[in-house]
Amino acid sequence: MIRKSRFKLILLIIFAASSYAFAQDISTISGQDPFRINGSVTVKLQAYNTDRENPSRSPFMWYLQGNPVITVYGIVLPFSFRLSEQQRDFRQPFNQFGVSPYYKWAKLHLGYRSHTWSTYALAGHSITGAGLELTPGKFQFGFATGRLLKPVKYLDNPENIKLQSPAYRRTGTALRLGYGSETNNFSIVILKAKDDSTSLGSVPAEYQITPDENLVVSFLTKQTIARKFLFEAEVAQSLYTKDIRTAISDSTGGLMSKIFSPLIPDHESTTSSNALRASAGYQSDQFTLMIRYQRVEPDFRSMGAYYFATDLSNITIEPSLKLMQKKLTLAGSVGTQVDNLKNDKSLRTRRTITSARVNFVPLPQYSLSAFYSNYGLAQESGLLSIDTLRQSEVAQATSQAGVTQSLNLTGEKLGHNLMVNFNYQKLNDRNENTSQYSEFSTTILSANYFITYIPFSINGSAAFLYTHFAQDTVVTVAYGPSAGLGKSFLKNKMNASLYVSFMKNTVQGEDSGTTGIYSFQLGYKPFKSHRFALKYNYNNSNRQAAGYNSYYESRLDFDYTYTF
């Protein structure tokens, strides 16, 4: 009788639900606690003051926030609520709920689930329904069916404001068959999805909403030869019907249309398109060389993926080398990408990228990393000649370089950490008609030092930041120091910290004002479940540039958190 009650309780939790998801090994359910609740509740009081004409918040604010978590036989159900003087909010996990119990090589999917079986057929799209995955030995079988999209009704609005875009109810079924190991395998993934043309009422023509249908077949393989040579590929073809209400076509179509004609009829609005991705290379402990290629035709669409770029073809070469017993790593990449694969656009866009990266760790206490990248964007002739469009031609290159150094020294009493970072970025526009509006350069230099005195639990920090931004004839510079100090008391039950930051701003070499930030925090945890926190922040901006007003802001927060 007790077992039946437990079983009914679990079913009630699962099927009363409607993005929460989890997987559970049902072989361990007997060892799980039947019921447990934990979480936290926080009370916050905040006072705010400013001399701004339009304050960003009210002078006084309070809120009560909780995050209780209920666990029933290993099934975790998180809830949350928030109460304030302006808002009442409660969230629970039953809007989107899914469960995937498994036993050895068999897994069952119920409710709201997402699957990533391929890049083009089923790539992380959520399915509300049921599914099954079996992996006995080297065999792989997957099946999922259910709702892909909820119907969104059209709302008639007298003021002609589009509140939401209507959409048909969409259902789909996916099948996966495969064989092999993690290093050597091949599989096929088939997705069939269709919109329900009866799930919406009348919709204005301006929305251009049509009930569609889609079939995607994807072949995947991954092969490892002699443990060092790698090859991976996916080839997909999509049959997409833009409107299932169009007439059935008498055309024979392609081979895929003939094979899968029982699954998707060939309409006048049905199109066929392809996608391909592949990578091959050599990988060892010291040297790696990978070549990656991708091609996605302009009209390739898949109802099993939320988004991916189309009308592109790119190839990338990525070498890397490890030297000095792996203390030095050299890596880079060279690639190019083009669009307008069918040569039916006015122009073709070519993107090129070159990057290099160096990581050097000669000692455990010291590390250095540097990188450089150059990203180019240029237009080429398509249906129109580029010579006739020189005034608006896009021809840009963005270069970026950076260096980061870190030094860590830790002793019995003192710990030191010094980090210096430099970053430079510049955009060059080779079109003289647009360069004055688009070209810019940015330089950022930061130095941070942290020190800890272990016996007294004292930590301090000092930093300096310098930024330089130039565009056309305007140069803006900001620089200044910051410092912090913190200490723990009463065997780490209490901690206090102080932070100060000061920034000076200049435009064209002239003083444009200063900005100061000052903050203090005090935390106290007298018992394991109780924590108090007091925070004070003061910002002061003294701006002298035209169009900017000086102001100050102060904020005092008091928090109490109870953990259960």
Side-chain angles (χ1 to χ4, degrees):
M1 186 68 181
I2 296 177
R3 291 182 179 178
K4 290 184 178 180
S5 300
R6 292 177 178 175
F7 182 71
K8 290 180 180 180
L9 178 60
I10 294 174
L11 289 180
L12 178 63
I13 294 174
I14 293 175
F15 293 105
S18 63
S19 106
Y20 179 64
F22 63 93
Q24 184 187 31
D25 186 352
I26 61 175
S27 64
T28 65
I29 195 170
S30 60
Q32 301 286 348
D33 292 336
F35 181 83
R36 186 173 72 252
I37 181 171
N38 60 339
S40 64
V41 177
T42 299
V43 179
K44 185 181 185 72
L45 305 176
Q46 183 182 99
Y48 174 79
N49 186 33
T50 184
D51 62 349
R52 284 185 168 186
E53 293 183 2
N54 299 310
S56 58
R57 62 194 69 195
S58 59
F60 178 77
M61 186 190 77
W62 65 267
Y63 73 73
L64 173 66
Q65 178 175 298
N67 298 283
V69 179
I70 298 175
T71 305
V72 181
Y73 287 103
I75 301 175
V76 183
L77 307 173
F79 296 78
S80 68
F81 65 87
R82 180 184 176 98
L83 303 175
S84 69
E85 81 281 3
Q86 297 178 344
Q87 181 183 9
R88 303 291 187 271
D89 185 32
F90 176 76
R91 298 181 181 180
Q92 40 81 22
F94 296 127
N95 293 326
Q96 295 176 333
F97 184 89
V99 57
S100 294
Y102 62 92
Y103 180 77
K104 294 184 178 180
W105 46 262
K107 179 181 288 188
L108 179 66
H109 300 289
L110 297 172
Y112 182 88
R113 302 273 70 186
S114 62
H115 305 275
T116 302
W117 290 351
S118 73
T119 303
Y120 304 115
L122 188 57
H125 202 292
S126 62
I127 299 179
T128 304
L132 178 66
E133 286 189 88
L134 305 176
T135 55
K138 293 186 176 182
F139 291 94
Q140 301 170 1
F141 171 81
F143 176 81
T145 185
R147 187 189 67 208
L148 298 177
L149 295 177
K150 288 182 177 181
V152 180
K153 298 292 184 180
Y154 166 71
L155 299 179
D156 187 12
N157 187 359
E159 298 180 0
N160 199 27
I161 300 176
K162 294 183 179 181
L163 301 178
Q164 60 182 359
S165 297
Y168 289 96
R169 183 179 188 269
R170 178 172 295 173
T171 58
T173 300
L175 176 67
R176 178 187 183 189
L177 298 173
Y179 178 83
S181 62
E182 184 176 349
T183 56
N184 296 80
N185 58 71
F186 63 89
S187 61
I188 178 174
V189 178
I190 301 174
L191 172 76
K192 170 64 169 61
K194 184 178 181 180
D195 292 336
D196 183 0
S197 59
T198 64
S199 58
L200 284 182
S202 60
V203 179
E206 66 215 44
Y207 282 93
Q208 297 182 350
I209 302 297
T210 60
D212 300 348
E213 189 173 15
N214 182 219
L215 176 70
V216 184
V217 180
S218 182
F219 297 90
L220 303 93
T221 184
K222 180 179 180 181
Q223 301 297 326
T224 304
I225 304 172
R227 298 184 180 180
K228 293 184 179 180
F229 295 93
L230 309 175
F231 175 76
E232 186 175 0
E234 178 178 358
V235 181
Q237 188 170 18
S238 172
L239 292 176
Y240 198 95
T241 300
K242 180 56 181 171
D243 190 344
I244 59 177
R245 297 169 300 186
T246 57
I248 300 294
S249 174
D250 294 331
S251 61
T252 57
L255 178 61
M256 184 175 172
S257 298
K258 295 178 180 179
I259 297 176
F260 294 99
S261 57
L263 295 179
I264 178 169
D266 194 358
H267 292 257
E268 292 180 350
S269 60
T270 301
T271 58
S272 175
S273 53
N274 304 298
L276 165 68
R277 65 172 183 87
S279 61
Y282 173 84
Q283 185 174 9
S284 67
D285 292 339
Q286 288 77 32
F287 177 71
T288 299
L289 176 63
M290 295 297 297
I291 301 176
R292 307 183 190 277
Y293 176 76
Q294 183 183 29
R295 178 185 173 88
V296 183
E297 293 185 350
D299 51 356
F300 186 90
R301 300 178 66 179
S302 172
M303 290 183 176
Y306 287 107
Y307 173 80
F308 50 79
T310 61
D311 191 16
L312 62 86
S313 173
N314 62 60
I315 184 170
T316 307
I317 302 175
E318 303 173 358
S320 66
L321 179 65
K322 295 181 180 180
L323 302 171
M324 301 175 60
Q325 298 179 343
K326 300 182 180 181
K327 294 181 179 179
L328 176 63
T329 301
L330 307 175
S333 66
V334 178
T336 181
Q337 180 185 99
V338 297
D339 64 354
N340 195 13
L341 300 185
K342 293 187 175 181
N343 200 31
D344 55 357
K345 294 182 179 179
S346 299
L347 299 172
R348 168 170 290 169
T349 302
R350 181 177 296 275
R351 298 173 175 85
T352 58
I353 184 170
T354 304
S355 67
R357 177 173 53 87
V358 177
N359 287 331
F360 184 45
V361 187
L363 299 170
Q365 298 84 3
Y366 175 79
S367 65
L368 179 146
S369 63
F371 75 92
Y372 170 80
S373 67
N374 183 276
Y375 180 85
L377 177 65
Q379 287 180 329
E380 302 173 352
S381 298
L383 296 178
L384 298 178
S385 173
I386 197 69
D387 294 333
T388 64
L389 301 170
R390 284 295 178 184
Q391 290 187 351
S392 59
E393 175 191 355
V394 177
Q396 298 177 348
T398 303
S399 301
Q400 188 173 6
V403 179
T404 300
Q405 296 185 78
S406 179
L407 177 65
N408 291 278
L409 298 174
T410 303
E412 295 182 359
K413 294 184 178 181
L414 286 175
H416 305 268
N417 176 260
L418 176 64
M419 181 176 294
V420 180
N421 181 72
F422 171 79
N423 188 280
Y424 175 79
Q425 183 177 9
K426 181 176 179 59
L427 185 147
N428 290 313
D429 191 341
R430 294 188 291 271
N431 188 329
E432 60 182 11
N433 298 292
T434 59
S435 59
Q436 60 178 324
Y437 307 105
S438 60
E439 284 194 341
F440 72 89
S441 66
T442 302
T443 302
I444 301 175
L445 175 64
S446 64
N448 299 271
Y449 172 69
F450 304 91
I451 183 173
T452 302
Y453 187 63
I454 301 174
F456 287 174
S457 299
I458 298 177
N459 59 80
S461 65
F464 184 83
L465 176 65
Y466 172 86
T467 64
H468 180 282
F469 179 79
Q471 184 176 22
D472 195 15
T473 60
V474 179
V475 177
T476 304
V477 176
Y479 60 91
S482 62
L485 182 65
K487 182 176 178 7
S488 297
F489 306 90
L490 304 176
K491 298 181 179 180
N492 295 326
K493 291 184 177 181
M494 177 181 289
N495 59 80
S497 63
L498 178 67
Y499 175 80
V500 178
S501 174
F502 179 83
M503 293 292 291
K504 186 175 181 62
N505 305 283
T506 65
V507 178
Q508 298 297 88
E510 297 183 2
D511 186 5
S512 64
T514 59
T515 302
I517 300 176
Y518 315 91
S519 67
F520 172 76
Q521 297 187 29
L522 180 65
Y524 180 50
K525 192 175 182 180
F527 306 104
K528 182 178 179 180
S529 301
H530 304 269
R531 189 179 189 279
F532 300 87
L534 182 67
K535 306 175 186 178
Y536 177 74
N537 292 273
Y538 179 82
N539 301 341
N540 182 26
S541 179
N542 181 18
R543 305 304 298 269
Q544 299 178 10
Y548 294 93
N549 298 323
S550 299
Y551 69 91
Y552 79 85
E553 288 181 322
S554 65
R555 194 181 71 200
L556 180 65
D557 296 319
F558 173 77
D559 299 355
Y560 166 71
T561 301
Y562 173 68
T563 304
F564 53 91

